[in-house]
Amino acid sequence: MEEKSTARKRLDYEDKLILAPMVRIGTLPMRLLALDYGADIVYTEELIDRKLLRSIRRENDVLGTVDYIDKTDGTVAFRTCPREREHVVLQIGTSDPARAAQVARMVENDVAGIDVNMGCPKKFSILGGMGASLLNEPQKATDILRKLVETVSIPVTCKIRVLPDLEETLGLCDALASTGIAAIAVHGRTIEERPQHPNRNHVLKQISARLSIPVIANGGSKDIQKHSDILRFKKETGCSSVMLARAAEWNCSIFRKEGLLPMEDVIKSYLKHAINCDNPPSNTKYCVQNILRELQESPLGRRFLDAQTLEQICQVWGLNDYCRSKSKEFRDRGLLGRFQITPGILDKDNGVSYKRKIHEEEDVSLMRCAFLRNSYVTDSELPKTRLLKWTKENHKKIPIYDTRQENKLFCSVVTVDGRKYGSSFWEKNKKWAEQGAALVCLYFLGIIDEKSLAAGGNILS
């Protein structure tokens, strides 16, 4: 093992404001926004150890990021950047000390700390022996933490929920703290309790008084409406630091000492980070939805919900020109975004993907066109439905689809009247791949024009 570097500043968990790990929320744009507004430490969303272990590390010169690319489908499993290097804690979902240590070694030089999720009550985590299941297996939990502490030089922490019994909770915290971890984050509800239940601040206070390591209070978002409420929560729990989830998800400017900013300002700032990070539109939309909340039913909210591409989302807030110019800049500099993902064989030396042929024959009329489902209001408007109707009206044989799957991606070629048509864009499901092929076929047959093609799909260079 390489000698561990001691040059980096070690993360400190005393008197800190922390962005909590949140599924689909804690991606790079939101983490950067939290740092802008005054957060000291930002946690990633939970990343499963096996997913990270099947990833390759790649420095993205265009975005200035470090990307961990999933080899099975080409998607970004984890993206970070130098700006957050001394502040970001990667949270892993794991049930095995060896796998946890292997992940920690992979990312050690790109993050400030490693956290183990020991509080997630979701079925997926429980069945996999991860998350809250570790609360009932203290030996396995402590084995994982000890292995991590022995393996890496950066701080190791864990995040738990309280148990129904106070003494059992205190005993568990004693055991976890004995492993040499730098801090422990505690959500003041049991795995059965939900946000409507009161946070057990008195239990957090007893844990903090008992342990010699920093205790991070979590679960107080229900009662945190402004920055001063964070300080009150910290005082009530007696904890070293405060970790915010929903309060930050709703308005990340909660971290600002100067006070909350208007929702519109927060959304615009978030979208700029999303553009600069080439964040997937689906994730961007999810995060904005959680900021809008009940305002999704407003006229602005409905316009937003109708948007599908990143540019369409940005247009709602007048940032479409910025989005378009940055996208062009990235393309000109050679960025391969999500629409350029093509499954292939990974070169073990440099991680370059060699593109495979969509179809072995040379007589396929191809375009790169991503099918956009939200562009179609009714099923009768879908490309496959229109193509089937055309063949029947013109007494042709019904379309035949030849769909290939590579790992988790799909690409399809449709045969109509003896000719083959297809989109060279790889979709994430079989139905969409076939719709994309039908859309290209409609264009080549002259049934739709280029304007209609663009309205129903994203034409790619």
Side-chain angles (χ1 to χ4, degrees):
M1 188 168 62
E2 294 180 6
E3 185 179 346
K4 297 174 184 176
S5 171
T6 57
R8 294 178 59 186
K9 181 180 178 182
R10 187 173 174 85
L11 198 61
D12 173 25
Y13 289 91
E14 290 284 357
D15 198 26
K16 295 294 186 290
L17 295 182
I18 303 171
L19 177 71
M22 291 179 281
V23 176
R24 298 182 68 188
I25 298 292
T27 48
L28 183 56
M30 189 63 75
R31 300 197 304 266
L32 292 177
L33 188 66
L35 291 176
D36 287 346
Y37 290 144
D40 301 296
I41 301 171
V42 290
Y43 277 54
T44 70
E45 60 179 335
E46 179 192 31
L47 297 170
I48 306 303
D49 54 8
R50 293 185 188 276
K51 184 174 180 68
L52 283 168
L53 289 177
R54 66 172 185 249
S55 300
I56 58 169
R57 182 185 185 276
R58 184 178 298 165
E59 294 188 13
N60 190 323
D61 293 334
V62 178
L63 299 178
T65 59
V66 173
D67 300 342
Y68 286 81
I69 311 293
D70 189 329
K71 291 182 287 189
T72 63
D73 60 10
T75 56
V76 178
F78 171 52
R79 172 168 283 165
T80 184
C81 67
R83 161 109 191 275
E84 67 168 5
R85 186 184 178 206
E86 304 300 329
H87 306 276
V88 63
V89 174
L90 186 142
Q91 186 185 72
I92 57 174
T94 187
S95 61
D96 181 77
R99 284 201 306 272
Q102 194 175 347
V103 168
R105 281 194 295 269
M106 280 178 60
V107 303
E108 179 176 8
N109 293 322
D110 293 320
V111 299
I114 298 288
D115 182 79
V116 179
N117 184 345
M118 296 185 178
C120 180
K122 294 187 182 300
K123 187 176 180 181
F124 170 81
S125 290
I126 299 293
L127 292 178
M130 303 178 291
S133 68
L134 293 172
L135 297 176
N136 299 316
E137 296 188 72
Q139 186 61 56
K140 182 189 287 186
T142 54
D143 286 347
I144 291 171
L145 294 177
R146 282 198 179 92
K147 183 67 174 177
L148 285 169
V149 171
E150 292 169 1
T151 301
V152 294
S153 60
I154 57 177
V156 175
T157 60
C158 65
K159 184 174 183 291
I160 69 169
R161 282 176 175 253
V162 298
L163 302 173
D165 181 81
L166 174 60
E167 290 306 316
E168 287 185 14
T169 301
L170 295 175
L172 175 64
C173 290
D174 285 341
L176 298 174
S178 71
T179 63
I181 57 176
I184 181 170
V186 186
H187 186 123
R189 296 183 181 86
T190 66
I191 60 172
E192 292 83 15
E193 292 174 334
R194 294 296 174 262
Q196 62 267 27
H197 294 100
N199 204 55
R200 304 187 187 202
N201 292 351
H202 64 288
V203 176
L204 298 184
K205 191 165 189 175
Q206 292 191 56
I207 295 171
S208 180
R210 185 182 183 101
L211 299 185
S212 59
I213 62 172
V215 176
I216 304 165
N218 181 229
S221 286
K222 182 180 178 182
D223 300 315
I224 294 176
Q225 308 296 326
K226 54 187 182 298
H227 193 272
S228 60
D229 293 334
I230 301 175
L231 305 179
R232 177 184 49 75
F233 179 57
K234 183 174 183 289
K235 184 176 181 180
E236 286 181 6
T237 60
C239 290
S240 303
S241 296
V242 172
M243 173 180 281
L244 297 181
R246 288 177 301 122
E249 174 185 327
W250 296 333
N251 190 327
C252 201
S253 67
I254 190 72
F255 290 112
R256 291 180 80 247
K257 294 179 181 179
E258 301 83 358
L260 288 170
L261 292 172
M263 179 193 68
E264 184 173 345
D265 292 352
V266 174
I267 291 175
K268 286 182 176 180
S269 295
Y270 168 77
L271 287 175
K272 283 189 175 181
H273 280 305
I275 294 166
N276 295 339
C277 297
D278 191 40
N279 202 51
S282 58
N283 179 256
T284 301
K285 189 169 186 178
Y286 179 79
C287 292
V288 175
Q289 279 181 286
N290 282 277
I291 300 173
L292 283 175
R293 298 167 69 196
E294 65 275 2
L295 290 179
Q296 292 178 68
E297 297 304 316
S298 67
L300 178 141
R302 286 193 291 271
R303 281 172 53 210
F304 160 72
L305 292 176
D306 286 338
Q308 187 169 358
T309 66
L310 187 56
E311 186 177 328
Q312 289 169 351
I313 294 169
C314 290
Q315 187 172 17
V316 178
W317 282 276
L319 291 172
N320 49 314
D321 287 342
Y322 180 75
C323 180
R324 194 180 301 113
S325 66
K326 292 298 289 187
S327 295
K328 183 180 184 304
E329 174 192 330
F330 294 157
R331 285 196 305 272
D332 291 345
R333 295 175 61 191
L335 177 69
L336 294 180
R338 72 184 192 103
F339 286 126
Q340 284 73 42
I341 293 170
T342 304
I345 302 170
L346 290 162
D347 183 314
K348 64 181 180 181
D349 294 322
N350 57 29
V352 174
S353 176
Y354 295 108
K355 296 182 179 180
R356 295 177 178 172
K357 289 184 178 180
I358 306 301
H359 203 276
E360 293 303 322
E361 301 177 29
E362 299 297 329
D363 62 344
V364 182
S365 299
L366 286 173
M367 293 184 68
R368 285 185 65 75
C369 181
F371 170 69
L372 301 180
R373 180 61 181 88
N374 285 5
S375 300
Y376 303 91
V377 179
T378 65
D379 289 348
S380 64
E381 299 173 345
L382 291 170
K384 286 185 67 175
T385 305
R386 290 189 64 184
L387 184 57
L388 179 62
K389 181 182 178 183
W390 181 88
T391 56
K392 288 180 177 179
E393 290 175 347
N394 290 273
H395 309 290
K396 308 290 185 182
K397 290 182 180 180
I398 64 172
I400 298 175
Y401 294 87
D402 178 14
T403 305
R404 287 187 58 189
Q405 180 180 359
E406 294 283 351
N407 296 318
K408 296 181 180 180
L409 298 176
F410 299 83
C411 200
S412 187
V413 169
V414 61
T415 301
V416 175
D417 197 23
R419 295 290 307 275
K420 294 180 172 65
Y421 308 87
S423 169
S424 57
F425 174 64
W426 292 77
E427 298 278 6
K428 289 193 174 183
N429 65 60
K430 182 174 182 287
K431 291 181 179 179
W432 284 21
E434 292 178 351
Q435 294 287 2
L439 186 61
V440 172
C441 181
L442 290 172
Y443 172 73
F444 276 105
L445 291 175
I447 299 169
I448 62 173
D449 57 19
E450 188 169 340
K451 183 177 180 181
S452 298
L453 177 65
N458 194 340
I459 305 171
L460 309 162
S461 57

